[in-house]
């Protein structure tokens, strides 16, 4: 079945350093969604990418969807302690009438102040 | 606007007992999802409903798990009998349409002793 892989599993950075997490799918995705989960919290939707090669920015966060629509990345510039959490990508099963969103295992980001 | 509301927030019970988790989706949302999150397996989709109808329950671990959605504003996930390996955080999420971003509740932290 479809798999969504994320790397790295963990990333520890000093405050002010940049951070990138990568998401790879075994199948082509119609879209990809990114979520953030703070420690002890629940996943919160960040953004959805739909078009091949799409790039979207949210302040210090840059999201990219690959040309082949099988990979995506999230880059955070100049991390802050408020960025701490687990970042998940999620992609829907492509084709068919049975829609199902598959989440990656996530990348846990910790930031040293 | 109220978000997705789950109850209880925490549940500790002995194995063999019946556990019922409850969810109220965001008003107007047509799709509802039940997830289980553990360190080992990450975020797993258990079942989802569209317009109160169960669409995909392939993620339900076994017959001990059942879910219902009697109306558009209420859903339950039941485990009977519960086992220690069911200990996890259970999230309910809803979305306006099946392929739209999902809004998660705060989750139920379940411990089976």
């Amino acid at each position: 079945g479809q798999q969504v892989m994320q790397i790295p599993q963990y990333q520890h950075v000093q405050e002010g350093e940049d951070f990138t997490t990568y998401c790879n799918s075994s199948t082509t995705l119609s879209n990809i969604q990114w979520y953030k989960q703070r420690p002890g919290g629940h996943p919160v939707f960040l953004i959805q990418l739909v078009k091949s090669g799409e790039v979207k920015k949210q302040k210090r966060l840059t999201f990219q969807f690959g040309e082949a629509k099988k990979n995506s990345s999230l880059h955070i510039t100049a991390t802050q302690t408020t960025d701490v959490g687990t970042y998940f990508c999620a992609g829907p099963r492509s084709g068919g009438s049975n829609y199902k969103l598959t989440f990656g295992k996530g990348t846990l980001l910790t930031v040293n102040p | 606007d109220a978000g997705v509301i789950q109850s209880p927030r925490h549940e500790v019970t002995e194995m063999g007992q019946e556990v019922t988790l409850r969810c109220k989706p965001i008003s107007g949302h047509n799709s509802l999802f039940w997830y289980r999150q553990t360190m080992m397996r990450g975020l797993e989709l258990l079942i989802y409903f569209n317009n109160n109808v169960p669409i995909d329950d392939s993620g339900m671990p076994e017959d001990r798990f059942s879910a219902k959605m009697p109306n558009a504003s209420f859903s339950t996930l039941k485990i009977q009998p519960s086992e220690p390996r069911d200990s996890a955080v259970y999230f309910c999420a809803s979305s306006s349409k099946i392929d739209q971003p999902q809004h998660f509740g705060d989750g139920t932290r379940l411990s089976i002793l």
Side-chain angles (χ1 to χ4, degrees), chain A residues 1-62:
Chain A
Q2 177 193 45
Q3 291 188 4
V4 176
M5 309 296 291
Q6 272 188 263
I7 56 170
Q9 196 173 359
Y10 307 98
Q11 184 78 60
H12 178 75
V13 300
Q14 288 291 128
E15 189 171 23
E17 292 182 340
D18 291 357
F19 159 77
T20 304
T21 173
Y22 301 90
C23 180
N24 294 288
S25 170
S26 57
T27 60
T28 301
L29 301 170
S30 58
N31 67 77
I32 194 155
Q33 299 175 16
W34 284 91
Y35 293 77
K36 176 185 177 182
Q37 183 176 20
R38 287 202 162 98
H42 59 273
V44 175
F45 172 75
L46 294 177
I47 206 161
Q48 178 171 281
L49 305 172
V50 179
K51 299 177 183 176
S52 169
E54 188 170 14
V55 177
K56 285 188 176 180
K57 292 190 176 184
Q58 289 180 350
K59 297 183 180 178
R60 294 177 294 103
L61 277 61
T62 301

